[in-house]
Amino acid sequence: MYDYGLNLWGNNNFIVENGKICVNTGSKPAIIDIVKSIRSEGYRGPLLLRFPHLIHKQISQIYKSFESAKNEFGYKGSFNAVYPLKVNQYPGFVKNLVRHGQKYGYGLEAGSKAELLLVMAYNNEGAPITVNGFKDKEMINIGFIAAEMGHNITLTIEGLNELEAIIAIAKERFTPKPNIGLRIRLHSSGSGIWAKSGGINSKFGLTATELIEAVNLLKEANLLDRFNMIHFHIGSQITEIHPLKKALIEAGNIYAELRKMGAKNLKAINLGGGLAIEYSQFKENSSRNYTLSEYANDVVYLLKTMATQRNEVEPDIFIESGRFVSASHAVLVAPVLELFSQDYTEEKLVLKKKNPQLITELNDLLSTIKPSNAIEYLHDSIDHMESILTLFDLGYVDLQDRSNAEILTHLIIKKAAKILGTKQHNAELLKLQEEAQERYLVNFSLFQSLPDFWGLKQNFPIMPLDRLDVRPTRSASLWDITCDSDGEIGFDDEENPLFLHDVDVEKEEYFLGFFLVGAYQEVLGMKHNLFTHPTEATIEIDAEGFKVSHLLESQSILDIMEDLDYDIYEIQDILNERIEKSKLVTDSQRKQILGEMYLFLNDNGYLKTIS
Ligand SMILES: *Cc1c(COP(=O)(O)O)cnc(C)c1O
């Protein structure tokens, strides 16, 4: 069985059965069967599958872990969690999250006016709301309205000017009023590629001087009783637990100091997000050094110790984990359209009566390659190919010779790959496999569906949906269908070598799954080349089988033109007029063309099939 590191990143969400990757719940359907059932209704191109049971699983694990940590240490503060909307605002996700979060009192976090208004509409009654990020008077006003509607809302202040605005607005608005939180600036910071959101130079948070001033301003305005929470966020995907521990100690001391200054309603410490998930398919490059239960235990234990040392009440704990809750629920499935060297078959070889010496040698290599010489022959064939190209530039061999060399080299690479397999993971072989890689053209846009790979080199687990009982032999690089050369996931022989199967996609379908794409990717996705959010489907699974509960087709070409503020009626009129005016076709041909044009404009822009 070839499981592509599933035991590392899979969290028991999926299992491999009969060579297929299956969802590990209820009837355990194979993902490929879900995909085929959706495609049988005519949907083509990439598919984003949402699994709501995995949202529920993450939420319940968070509450369970903190509950058990609290019990273990006899912690008296409460535990609360909110989901930060910025991580995924799509209704197909958010509505399921709110539904599954209800019994836990799971709340929502907003970072902008638009998010705040969404939160006010969808948040479970009584569940907490926190608001972070820069705010103007209007946004603060919306926060007051949320409190007046009955929401349990805390506005976290990022700077003193926001506090001054709150004080001014509080005089004008009604009761009840929102709670006020202060974002603190820690000198300890996070780790990993997102670390800049913590630390003394971070974009957010009040310095010690500003904190003192804030408490004084609140006192003067008679609003100190509304101040209930301090907040920090040391960055996303915290790879090590150590910086968080340092941050907790610092925050615990600030908490005690502020209470000493008279902030008696300050009862909560909000740790922000940052809880990491495991993206890696290889043990050597694991992306975090702690588990959820370690995280919960450390947080509870440290805050308890701090409170005891400082002789203060144990604070209520708030967390704002986004990535941890949302990443696993979504799987992107994209069909492979073509293997670059698929056309290099023996039949295409047109050898001459008298061939250049190097071609004869390549031919010999192909017929005598075997396990004991495979690495050497692979080397030789790549060298020969390079020499042939030089000879071509100098005019010594012709295009037919060059084509023969291409075909022979690819046949040797394929044969060697089959012989060598992926077992011998030595550096030299991997290096060779990088040169001998196969390019897979995949029907998706990297910019739309995996923007963090493009922007941050974040790896996501990738694997084929079936053939997992067959050894994959080809070192693979993936090409998306944008015309941008950055739209590639290259074969990474050092960190993340991906091996796929040698398939003839003209005869049989081959699908790749991209996992853990539920956090950040969807809304950060770009419309580069005017590719849109893929067709999405929500999949509910029970003991009987699976149900596609919500299917939303990818936007049409006209929709995306409209998003860019084109006048789509004008576009259609121009196209139609130009077709009408064409003198090159007959009336009945013209009618057909107009019909075709209408269909193309109203369909999405992903590819259907190549041939
Ligand atoms: C982005 C953000 C989060 C979520 O971080 P994750 O790493 O996704 O858990 C939480 N709180 C704040 C203030 C944020 O800006």
Side-chain angles (χ1 to χ4, degrees):
M1 186 177 81
Y2 302 89
D3 71 355
Y4 291 83
L6 184 61
N7 59 328
L8 300 172
W9 57 266
N11 198 24
N12 285 324
N13 294 339
F14 305 98
I15 46 163
V16 175
E17 266 179 16
N18 303 322
K20 299 173 177 176
I21 180 158
C22 304
V23 191
N24 191 17
T25 189
S27 61
K28 298 192 170 52
I31 298 180
I32 195 160
D33 294 341
I34 298 173
V35 168
K36 286 191 171 161
S37 113
I38 295 169
R39 283 170 64 90
S40 73
E41 285 165 40
Y43 298 98
R44 287 293 179 272
L47 264 181
L48 186 85
L49 303 179
R50 297 192 197 280
F51 296 104
H53 73 279
L54 294 179
I55 308 174
H56 180 226
K57 176 177 172 182
Q58 296 305 93
I59 299 173
S60 81
Q61 279 188 352
I62 285 181
Y63 280 90
K64 261 193 212 129
S65 300
F66 273 92
E67 224 28 71
S68 87
K70 273 179 46 179
N71 287 338
E72 182 172 340
F73 298 109
Y75 195 79
K76 292 180 214 66
S78 67
F79 171 74
N80 311 267
V82 293
Y83 165 75
L85 218 60
K86 78 162 189 280
V87 184
N88 191 327
Q89 303 95 333
Y90 276 76
F93 171 74
V94 173
K95 289 186 178 184
N96 281 303
L97 172 119
V98 168
R99 177 165 63 91
H100 285 298
Q102 186 170 24
K103 66 170 178 271
Y104 301 96
Y106 190 35
L108 297 172
E109 184 263 5
S112 66
K113 283 182 213 177
E115 288 182 356
L116 178 53
L117 288 162
L118 271 179
V119 163
M120 286 159 66
Y122 286 109
N123 194 49
N124 284 313
E125 251 173 67
I129 294 175
T130 61
V131 185
N132 301 310
F134 296 114
K135 303 164 208 58
D136 62 1
K137 283 202 170 127
E138 199 177 290
M139 183 157 166
I140 292 169
N141 237 304
I142 302 174
F144 273 75
I145 293 174
E148 290 155 10
M149 284 164 69
H151 280 304
N152 165 15
I153 182 173
T154 301
L155 300 176
T156 303
I157 302 315
E158 309 280 356
L160 286 178
N161 55 340
E162 285 181 13
L163 185 56
E164 280 154 12
I166 286 191
I167 290 170
I169 290 166
K171 293 194 183 116
E172 294 158 16
R173 300 243 30 136
F174 325 117
T175 354
K177 300 196 188 309
N179 295 314
I180 298 168
L182 298 180
R183 182 154 179 172
I184 56 179
R185 182 171 295 240
L186 300 173
H187 69 79
S188 43
S189 70
S191 62
I193 40 184
W194 290 272
K196 54 187 174 303
S197 33
I200 203 84
N201 290 320
S202 77
K203 185 168 153 193
F204 297 109
L206 303 180
T207 61
T209 316
E210 289 167 328
L211 282 174
I212 293 171
E213 173 141 19
V215 171
N216 290 334
L217 282 171
L218 283 164
K219 263 185 204 159
E220 272 166 39
N222 236 343
L223 282 172
L224 194 56
D225 63 328
R226 301 311 305 163
F227 171 39
N228 71 333
M229 180 186 289
I230 53 171
H231 173 259
F232 65 89
H233 170 68
I234 62 174
S236 201
Q237 183 70 4
I238 305 170
T239 52
E240 300 166 35
I241 196 86
H242 181 66
L244 179 74
K245 290 192 190 173
K246 279 199 342 205
L248 279 167
I249 292 172
E250 194 180 342
N253 278 314
I254 292 176
Y255 164 81
E257 293 289 322
L258 292 172
R259 281 183 55 91
K260 235 173 45 194
M261 288 176 66
K264 286 297 169 227
N265 277 347
L266 170 58
K267 294 226 171 74
I269 298 187
N270 182 338
L271 330 179
L275 187 51
I277 58 160
E278 184 56 70
Y279 286 103
S280 179
Q281 298 181 269
F282 297 91
K283 241 208 295 306
E284 307 78 53
N285 339 320
S286 105
S287 34
R288 55 167 194 189
N289 75 349
Y290 59 93
T291 60
L292 168 62
S293 70
E294 251 179 276
Y295 175 90
N297 284 338
D298 281 346
V299 168
V300 172
Y301 172 77
L302 269 172
L303 289 180
K304 170 134 191 139
T305 312
M306 289 304 301
T308 313
Q309 273 175 11
R310 301 290 310 239
N311 202 17
E312 279 294 351
V313 282
E314 291 165 12
D316 294 338
I317 300 166
F318 279 73
I319 69 166
E320 298 175 332
S321 280
R323 182 186 302 275
F324 186 87
V325 172
S326 61
S328 62
H329 95 281
V331 179
L332 179 81
V333 174
V336 172
L337 291 168
E338 195 182 323
L339 270 63
F340 180 78
S341 72
Q342 197 163 296
D343 290 337
Y344 295 115
T345 54
E346 213 136 4
E347 300 90 73
K348 300 244 168 84
L349 206 56
V350 186
L351 292 173
K352 300 172 177 168
K353 279 215 183 73
K354 183 150 178 29
N355 295 290
Q357 177 63 19
L358 285 170
I359 300 280
T360 313
E361 280 178 28
L362 279 173
N363 211 4
D364 289 346
L365 293 177
L366 178 62
S367 51
T368 57
I369 189 168
K370 55 177 190 259
S372 59
N373 62 24
I375 292 191
E376 184 192 337
Y377 280 21
L378 190 53
H379 255 306
D380 291 350
S381 65
I382 291 169
D383 285 351
H384 284 14
M385 181 72 219
E386 272 168 20
S387 307
I388 291 274
L389 291 175
T390 311
L391 291 176
F392 180 81
D393 290 343
L394 296 170
Y396 291 119
V397 299
D398 63 15
L399 198 60
Q400 187 60 60
D401 295 325
R402 182 170 162 176
S403 156
N404 287 336
E406 265 174 20
I407 296 169
L408 286 166
T409 308
H410 278 287
L411 291 173
I412 293 167
I413 289 174
K414 272 195 203 188
K415 230 170 163 175
K418 212 175 233 162
I419 292 172
L420 295 168
T422 54
K423 287 229 175 75
Q424 314 163 44
H425 260 184
N426 68 56
E428 195 212 338
L429 183 57
L430 281 170
K431 194 88 214 121
L432 253 183
Q433 263 151 340
E434 197 202 332
E435 291 189 57
Q437 62 187 266
E438 175 65 284
R439 277 167 274 174
Y440 290 72
L441 181 66
V442 187
N443 199 356
F444 82 121
S445 157
L446 190 87
F447 301 91
Q448 173 60 238
S449 293
L450 300 177
D452 277 349
F453 181 86
W454 173 72
L456 296 164
K457 289 281 159 269
Q458 168 69 55
N459 283 318
F460 294 87
I462 303 171
M463 67 188 287
L465 299 187
D466 66 352
R467 291 178 178 74
L468 300 170
D469 44 6
V470 180
R471 195 178 54 164
T473 55
R474 300 306 311 270
S475 41
S477 62
L478 309 182
W479 291 63
D480 77 358
I481 56 169
T482 66
C483 66
D484 193 312
S485 55
D486 276 349
E488 183 198 0
I489 301 178
F491 180 72
D492 179 353
D493 62 307
E494 280 169 19
E495 297 267 306
N496 206 23
L498 175 68
F499 287 88
L500 295 176
H501 297 90
D502 199 5
V503 285
D504 181 350
V505 289
E506 269 162 36
K507 298 209 181 83
E508 39 188 356
E509 293 177 309
Y510 192 55
F511 297 99
L512 298 183
F514 299 81
F515 292 81
L516 302 175
V517 298
Y520 297 101
Q521 304 317 295
E522 290 184 57
V523 89
L524 288 178
M526 291 158 262
K527 293 172 181 161
H528 198 20
N529 265 158
L530 301 189
F531 288 110
T532 57
H533 190 259
T535 296
E536 63 167 269
T538 300
I539 314 296
E540 305 271 2
I541 300 168
D542 60 19
E544 308 299 306
F546 67 87
K547 198 173 98 229
V548 180
S549 67
H550 180 78
L551 214 149
L552 196 64
E553 191 172 4
S554 187
Q555 273 189 316
S556 73
I557 290 173
L558 281 179
D559 285 341
I560 182 140
M561 288 173 170
E562 194 165 31
D563 280 357
L564 266 63
D565 276 339
Y566 279 102
D567 178 344
I568 56 171
Y569 300 104
E570 181 182 271
I571 290 179
Q572 290 177 95
D573 286 348
I574 297 174
L575 287 171
N576 288 350
E577 204 180 304
R578 289 190 163 173
I579 293 166
E580 300 276 7
K581 275 205 302 221
S582 168
K583 299 204 168 55
L584 305 170
V585 290
T586 66
D587 279 355
S588 73
Q589 287 169 338
R590 181 171 300 118
K591 226 173 172 176
Q592 180 189 328
I593 295 171
L594 286 169
E596 286 169 337
M597 186 60 83
Y598 177 83
L599 290 179
F600 289 139
L601 287 168
N602 285 285
D603 203 344
N604 72 65
Y606 284 103
L607 301 184
K608 302 276 157 59
T609 45
I610 284 281
S611 50

